[in-house]
């Protein structure tokens, strides 16, 4: 316990730098994953063929452990943040993709028909009606993804991408349990906290469903 | 000038033994209130959806005010046609106010004008604005949702109103009120209404003309008196019989 307190007083700057890196890499990854998975999910909801192809593809990728993906990326992308982001994006895309596909497949047909009949154009219907109605399920996918990414970003430290994983790997190297607690604990708390904040946003954004 | 004109319109859906619309020709004068009767699956909704281009006919032509609609931009066309959809279809993520104000907002009406019009519409359908304007559809009963659907369709005072069983979920007393309200809106507006219903009494009360359909065909299209006195065939006379057999209940369902 003392050692833990000691670490925080001597390594404050380093700790917050690593924490910042961890959060940064998680946000970057999730953002890239959203940019890939949401349009792809919309596309999948329109064409059953495309949906099959991508679900298989990402289903397969998911079986490969993140660490293995990291290692495969290494010779191609070198060390550092790039291979880490690629590996984490591969991890984050499937839940967002699947949920987006399902969300757009199950939009209320009568509401879309009413919107069309009122004289709303395609783009307007997409942004004002379809997207908001698909949002809850999409958001649940994003939440799953971000929490997974935060946990898995720990591994990324192994190939020099920084983040809280550094503390853990240092702890492993030096056989210092206190560092493992600090590193592991921080990642866990960050995950939980993110999940909690995401849930609060979800609650207020979907109030209309539960009154 | 005819407000609505269908010329030999055919519509067939897959896996159906009969056509949803079978060589339907129809002329509706501007200012008419046409009610459409017929048993379930006879093509009433299909007929309505042809007019705002939700469906494209397999064969035939549809004209509104002498203009062939297949040549017009569907979005612009639909803004001039009010549509109360059978399944209501309110936007669940928008309040009552936002639902009703959707098209006025797209048309960039002045804010105070939208506010006034929404209030007027809510009064018209018998819902107190203060109480209801900020509710979400999930907070309304089925009948109240239907009335919001009606308000949403009426707000732009469209040239043609398509109403697909708009009062289906509304109790007898409120239904009576809304019928009278709708009738008076119609006679003030001089617009053309098409109104689908299963309630024969409602059809004969509201309609300046009544369409009786069966299996994709129009059996008779005439004034209520004429249909009553000279039913075109057995189906129509049976239909009228059901109304005369049970006087006063006002809820004969086909
Ligand atoms: N989009 C569609 N795809 C396939 N079949 C359809 C479609 N729309 C309607 N039909 C079929 O066409 C026929 C006529 O349907 P329509 O909805 O016009 O009936 P309706 O007279 O409105 O009936 P109800 O009184 O039950 O609303 C029905 O047999 C229906 O199954
Ligand atoms: Mg119908």
């Amino acid at each position: 316990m003392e050692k833990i307190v000691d670490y925080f007083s001597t390594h404050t700057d380093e700790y917050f730098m690593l924490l910042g890196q961890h959060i940064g890499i998680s946000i970057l990854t999730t953002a890239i994953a959203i940019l890939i998975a949401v349009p792809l999910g919309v596309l999948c909801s329109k064409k059953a063929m495309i949906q099959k192809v991508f679900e298989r593809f990402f289903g397969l990728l998911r079986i490969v452990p993140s660490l293995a993906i990291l290692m495969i990326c290494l010779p191609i992308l070198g060390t550092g943040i790039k291979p880490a982001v690629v590996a984490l994006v591969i991890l984050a895309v499937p839940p967002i993709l699947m949920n987006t596909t399902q969300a757009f497949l199950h939009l209320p047909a009568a509401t879309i028909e009413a919107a069309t009949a009122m004289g709303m154009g395609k783009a307007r219907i997409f942004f004002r009606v379809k997207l908001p109605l698909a949002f809850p399920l999409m958001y649940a996918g994003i939440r799953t993804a971000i929490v997974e990414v935060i946990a898995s970003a720990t591994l990324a430290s192994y190939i020099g991408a920084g983040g809280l994983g550094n503390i853990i790997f240092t702890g492993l190297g030096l056989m210092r349990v206190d560092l493992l607690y600090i590193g592991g604990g921080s990642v866990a708390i960050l995950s939980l906290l993110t999940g909690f904040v995401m849930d609060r946003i979800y609650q207020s954004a979907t109030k209309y469903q539960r009154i | 000038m005819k407000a609505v004109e269908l010329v030999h319109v055919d519509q067939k859906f897959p896996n159906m033994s009969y056509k949803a619309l079978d060589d339907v020709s129809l002329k509706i004068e501007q200012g008419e209130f046409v009610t459409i009767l017929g048993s379930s699956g006879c093509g009433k909704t299909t007929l309505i959806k042809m007019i705002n281009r939700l469906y494209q006919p397999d064969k035939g032509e549809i004209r509104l005010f002498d203009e062939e609609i297949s040549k017009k931009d569907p979005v612009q066309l639909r803004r001039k046609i009010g549509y109360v959809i059978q399944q209501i279809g309110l936007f669940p993520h928008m309040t009552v106010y936002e639902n009703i104000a959707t098209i006025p907002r797209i048309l960039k009406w002045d804010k105070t004008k939208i506010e006034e019009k929404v209030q007027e519409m809510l009064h018209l359908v018998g819902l107190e604005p203060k109480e209801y304007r900020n509710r979400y559809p999930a907070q309304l009963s089925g009948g109240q949702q239907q009335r919001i659907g009606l308000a949403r369709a009426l707000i732009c005072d469209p040239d043609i109103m398509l109403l697909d069983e708009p009062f289906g979920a509304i109790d007898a007393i409120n239904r009576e009120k809304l019928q009278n309200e709708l009738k008076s809106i119609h006679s003030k507006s001089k617009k053309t209404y098409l109104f689908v219903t299963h309630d024969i009494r409602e059809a004969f009360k509201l309609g300046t003309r009544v369409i009786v359909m069966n299996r994709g065909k129009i059996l008779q299209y005439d004034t209520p008196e004429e249909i009553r006195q000279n039913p075109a065939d057995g189906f129509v006379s049976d239909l009228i019989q059901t109304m005369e057999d049970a006087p006063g209940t006002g809820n004969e369902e086909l």
Side-chain angles (χ1 to χ4, degrees):
Chain A
M1 191 64 205
E2 261 166 56
K3 281 186 180 165
I4 295 176
V5 178
D6 201 44
Y7 172 87
F8 277 109
S9 53
T10 53
H11 292 81
T12 326
D13 289 349
E14 190 191 325
Y15 178 80
F16 280 106
M17 186 198 67
L18 293 175
L19 178 67
Q21 279 178 349
H22 203 102
I23 295 174
I25 203 172
S26 301
I27 291 177
L28 178 68
T29 306
T30 312
I32 295 174
I34 291 173
L35 287 180
I36 295 172
V38 169
L40 216 53
V42 174
L43 195 69
C44 284
S45 73
K46 293 195 169 142
K47 294 261 185 288
M49 263 296 291
I50 300 177
Q51 184 192 353
K52 271 206 192 111
V53 171
F54 279 106
E55 277 189 357
R56 291 260 164 81
F57 176 66
F58 280 100
L60 276 178
L61 272 185
R62 263 194 136 181
I63 305 171
V64 186
S66 305
L67 194 60
I69 293 176
L70 275 179
M71 292 308 148
I72 294 166
C73 290
L74 268 185
I76 309 165
L77 298 166
T79 52
I81 195 166
K82 267 196 246 161
V85 169
V86 170
L88 291 174
V89 166
I90 289 174
L91 187 74
V93 163
I96 307 178
L97 176 65
M98 277 185 227
N99 279 33
T100 305
T101 306
Q102 289 308 314
F104 277 89
L105 279 176
H106 295 109
L107 292 169
T111 304
I112 309 299
E113 187 164 87
T116 310
M118 285 161 82
M120 287 173 89
K122 277 214 166 87
R124 205 173 242 123
I125 292 177
F126 182 81
F127 288 106
R128 299 270 181 83
V129 184
K130 289 185 176 178
L131 202 55
L133 291 179
F135 174 79
L137 202 52
M138 276 166 65
Y139 187 85
I142 293 171
R143 184 200 184 286
T144 308
I146 206 168
V147 171
E148 271 183 43
V149 164
I150 289 173
S152 305
T154 316
L155 284 179
S157 308
Y158 193 67
I159 54 167
L164 292 168
N166 275 10
I167 304 175
I168 296 175
F169 288 116
T170 311
L172 283 174
L174 302 175
M175 300 287 270
R176 277 180 55 186
V177 180
D178 59 321
L179 291 184
L180 296 184
Y181 279 132
I182 293 171
S186 301
V187 172
I189 292 172
L190 187 60
S191 275
L192 284 175
L193 212 63
T194 308
F196 177 75
V197 172
M198 297 283 287
D199 286 347
R200 293 309 292 261
I201 297 173
Y202 181 86
Q203 299 285 335
S204 64
T206 59
K207 235 194 270 158
Y208 69 85
Q209 292 178 333
R210 284 184 309 276
I211 312 167
Chain B
M1 186 164 54
K2 306 282 180 280
V4 179
E5 199 169 353
L6 277 74
V7 190
H8 300 297
V9 171
D10 255 22
Q11 178 77 356
K12 177 111 168 66
F13 291 111
N15 306 320
M16 266 181 74
S17 57
Y18 59 98
K19 291 180 186 166
L21 291 180
D22 193 349
D23 194 27
V24 168
S25 293
L26 175 70
K27 287 179 183 168
I28 299 175
E29 299 287 338
Q30 187 173 353
E32 295 263 23
F33 195 130
V34 176
T35 53
I36 306 172
L37 272 173
S39 39
S40 201
C42 71
K44 303 182 296 296
T45 300
T46 307
L47 174 66
I48 293 270
K49 285 184 180 174
M50 288 287 159
I51 293 168
N52 60 9
R53 286 191 64 182
L54 286 178
Y55 289 158
Q56 220 59 41
D58 295 339
K59 266 191 237 153
E61 251 182 52
I62 297 160
R63 298 185 205 117
L64 300 184
F65 303 104
D66 292 342
E67 285 183 283
E68 160 94 62
I69 59 170
S70 63
K71 299 196 178 85
K72 303 188 81 175
D73 171 35
V75 172
Q76 293 307 322
L77 175 83
R78 288 170 188 146
R79 295 219 178 126
K80 298 198 176 73
I81 304 174
Y83 180 40
V84 182
I85 175 173
Q86 192 169 6
Q87 300 86 347
I88 309 175
L90 296 182
F91 303 125
H93 58 301
M94 297 184 194
T95 61
V96 163
Y97 183 90
E98 291 165 334
N99 263 283
I100 301 176
T102 305
I103 290 300
R105 280 178 172 174
I106 291 174
L107 298 177
K108 300 207 161 50
W109 286 10
D110 184 64
K111 250 193 152 152
T112 46
K113 185 181 167 196
I114 297 181
E115 182 72 40
E116 278 169 23
K117 263 303 212 186
V118 173
Q119 298 245 358
E120 186 189 325
M121 287 301 125
L122 281 170
H123 280 300
L124 202 78
V125 297
L127 297 171
E128 182 53 48
K130 265 207 209 74
E131 197 178 335
Y132 290 97
R133 55 170 288 153
N134 292 323
R135 291 205 194 180
Y136 287 101
Q139 296 168 293
L140 301 172
S141 74
Q144 289 166 343
Q145 290 181 20
Q146 265 191 337
R147 286 188 259 172
I148 302 304
L150 179 62
R152 181 172 71 172
L154 275 171
I155 190 165
C156 292
D157 194 19
D159 297 333
I160 295 171
M161 274 290 285
L162 309 173
L163 304 114
D164 201 344
E165 295 188 49
F167 303 150
I170 295 169
D171 65 279
I173 295 172
N174 276 304
R175 183 189 274 228
E176 180 96 23
K177 272 193 211 151
L178 283 168
Q179 286 170 353
N180 297 336
E181 201 63 64
L182 194 66
K183 208 166 164 88
S184 95
I185 299 168
H186 170 258
S187 41
K188 274 180 230 153
S189 75
K190 298 276 167 255
K191 302 292 163 78
T192 310
Y193 282 33
L194 274 82
F195 184 108
V196 174
T197 176
H198 281 280
D199 181 337
I200 303 163
R201 230 165 255 282
E202 185 171 70
F204 277 67
K205 169 182 171 182
L206 291 177
T208 55
R209 277 165 188 273
V210 180
I211 292 175
V212 183
M213 289 182 73
N214 191 31
R215 291 170 73 89
K217 283 191 191 304
I218 292 182
L219 301 182
Q220 194 163 14
Y221 170 43
D222 223 319
T223 59
E225 298 76 48
E226 188 58 29
I227 291 184
R228 202 170 277 153
Q229 273 151 30
N230 299 309
D233 67 2
F235 184 88
V236 182
S237 56
D238 285 352
L239 184 64
I240 292 161
Q241 204 55 43
T242 61
M243 177 167 62
E244 278 161 10
D245 283 349
T249 61
N251 274 319
E252 286 76 22
E253 304 280 321
L254 245 182

